Amino acid sequence: MTRPTLSPQRRRALQLLGVTAFHWTLASRYAQAQGPAVPGPEQLRIGYQKSAVNLVILKQQGVLEKRFPGTRVSWLEFPAGPQLLEALSVGSLEFGLTGDSPPVFAQAAGKDLLYVGAEPPKPDSSALLVLKDSPLRTLADLKGRRIAVQKGSSAHYLLVKAVERAGLQWADIQPVYLAPADARAAFERKSVDAWAIWDPFYAATELAIQPRVLATGRDLASSNNSFYLAARPFVQAHPQALRVLFDELSRADRLAQEARKDAIKLIADFSGLDAGVVSLFIQRRPSSPVDVLGPTTVADQQRVADAFFKLGLIPKPVNVSDIVWRPAARS
């Protein structure tokens, strides 16, 4: 029996119905899970990156707009953490997510912000890459080489650990400070010898050109924590809003874990990234509920700060615990 042929218009209509049904299903799951509406700040400007899975899910589902119905919620995308924290420090954001290194550089520069929450480490989500035909085979081969990295990013600390593991001095390499898009272009045209980068840029490059991985965060014992930071005035005036944020971010993470295919499609549709890229970087991402910083996380972050100061990459030593939010116990 011959199957009927669908016209392009009919096929497109069915695809749109499928997308609509997908979003309705995901929205329904969230509607059942999210908490009640509560009073919130007058405005809440949130900085995020494409890799911020929990925040992206909240944004796409309009969850915070429902929890804080009297709040003007705005979302601003950044290519990396240093740019995001600069916006936070000058009053253009209330809340945002970065990797481990950006807050260290911000604190050393005297920026007024607070660590308010953290996600667990993601040691497989960043890597030091070389091209397939590169002569570099070991970390020791980095000596004298040009290595692209976003200054002050989590990949910057990954590179610090790689140099340390190789038994080299920081002066033995030539860091080339580039934002991710520029770094990939330089990497592909061989203007640099290696590239320290994180997901989803790592996943996109891995699938597109199959580079070799010299080391990952797991290889280098780099914890690669992710941190939520906030403006001090926001934290002081609205500590209850942070608890709501953490609850919803953790719910979003459960959705990402329990409905992985749906989450991949949602993030791909939002970001413009290929679904295969999203799938790969989501696979490397462990369960990531959000909570305030505990002593172990603070100690991990202090090691990051101390390493940057020892190398002269920040102008002064910093005490991470000085800017860690310590909320009152829940009643």
Side-chain angles (χ1 to χ4, degrees):
M1 182 176 180
T2 303
R3 298 177 64 183
T5 301
L6 296 176
S7 68
Q9 294 83 359
R10 176 65 173 166
R11 187 178 297 110
R12 177 60 179 160
L14 290 173
Q15 289 172 343
L16 288 172
L17 284 172
V19 170
T20 301
F22 157 75
H23 286 298
W24 182 89
T25 301
L26 208 55
S28 295
R29 291 177 184 173
Y30 234 121
Q32 295 170 5
Q34 71 191 44
V38 296
E42 181 178 337
Q43 72 172 356
L44 175 56
R45 296 166 297 179
I46 299 172
Y48 67 100
Q49 303 171 57
K50 283 184 170 64
S51 58
V53 171
N54 293 344
L55 281 174
V56 168
I57 290 175
L58 292 191
K59 178 184 184 300
Q60 291 302 90
Q61 294 302 312
V63 172
L64 297 182
E65 289 81 355
K66 296 168 187 171
R67 291 300 308 268
F68 301 126
T71 298
R72 186 170 66 257
V73 180
S74 303
W75 300 84
L76 295 93
E77 184 177 350
F78 293 84
Q83 295 91 324
L84 189 156
L85 291 190
E86 180 61 27
L88 185 67
S89 70
V90 299
S92 298
L93 298 174
E94 279 71 49
F95 184 78
L97 174 70
T98 81
D100 51 15
S101 304
V104 169
F105 280 76
Q107 185 179 7
K111 307 296 186 183
D112 189 21
L113 40 77
L114 292 171
Y115 292 93
V116 293
E119 291 181 1
K122 302 173 181 64
D124 298 315
S125 295
S126 58
L128 186 61
L129 306 178
V130 297
L131 292 174
K132 284 187 292 188
D133 60 354
S134 170
L136 279 64
R137 295 290 170 179
T138 69
L139 293 176
D141 294 334
L142 294 173
K143 187 172 183 179
R145 300 293 184 164
R146 292 167 55 83
I147 305 166
V149 64
Q150 165 75 59
K151 186 176 183 178
S153 69
S154 60
H156 201 166
Y157 185 59
L158 180 84
L159 183 55
V160 166
K161 295 293 290 184
V163 170
E164 178 185 288
R165 178 63 62 87
L168 302 174
Q169 301 298 311
W170 187 253
D172 290 332
I173 67 164
Q174 300 178 54
V176 179
Y177 295 124
L178 296 170
D182 294 331
R184 176 166 171 176
F187 182 65
E188 292 195 40
R189 66 173 179 260
K190 300 186 178 181
S191 297
V192 295
D193 302 295
W195 181 23
I197 190 58
W198 64 93
D199 275 330
F201 306 104
Y202 166 25
T205 305
E206 188 174 8
L207 292 181
I209 63 173
Q210 293 85 50
R212 283 191 290 108
V213 175
L214 278 188
T216 67
R218 186 173 297 279
D219 300 324
L220 300 173
S222 174
S223 58
N224 199 14
N225 289 298
S226 298
F227 293 100
Y228 290 90
L229 292 104
R232 189 180 299 270
F234 171 70
V235 176
Q236 292 173 340
H238 303 287
Q240 73 286 353
L242 287 169
R243 285 298 188 183
V244 173
L245 281 163
F246 295 167
D247 288 346
E248 294 303 339
L249 286 162
S250 295
R251 284 192 180 99
D253 178 67
R254 288 199 296 275
L255 185 68
Q257 299 300 320
E258 296 168 5
R260 181 64 58 85
K261 290 182 179 179
D262 290 349
I264 289 169
K265 180 167 176 51
L266 183 70
I267 295 165
D269 287 349
F270 152 75
S271 66
L273 294 169
D274 180 81
V277 170
V278 177
S279 177
L280 181 56
F281 95 75
I282 290 287
Q283 287 173 29
R284 290 197 273 249
R285 175 186 179 272
S287 178
S288 300
V290 182
D291 206 348
V292 296
L293 279 68
T296 299
T297 304
V298 173
D300 284 345
Q301 188 66 350
Q302 188 62 54
R303 282 190 284 272
V304 175
D306 292 345
F308 280 120
F309 176 67
K310 181 180 178 181
L311 295 174
L313 297 175
I314 56 175
K316 63 181 182 181
V318 299
N319 185 9
V320 169
S321 65
D322 287 347
I323 61 168
V324 172
W325 178 52
R326 294 177 175 82
R330 293 197 198 208
S331 58

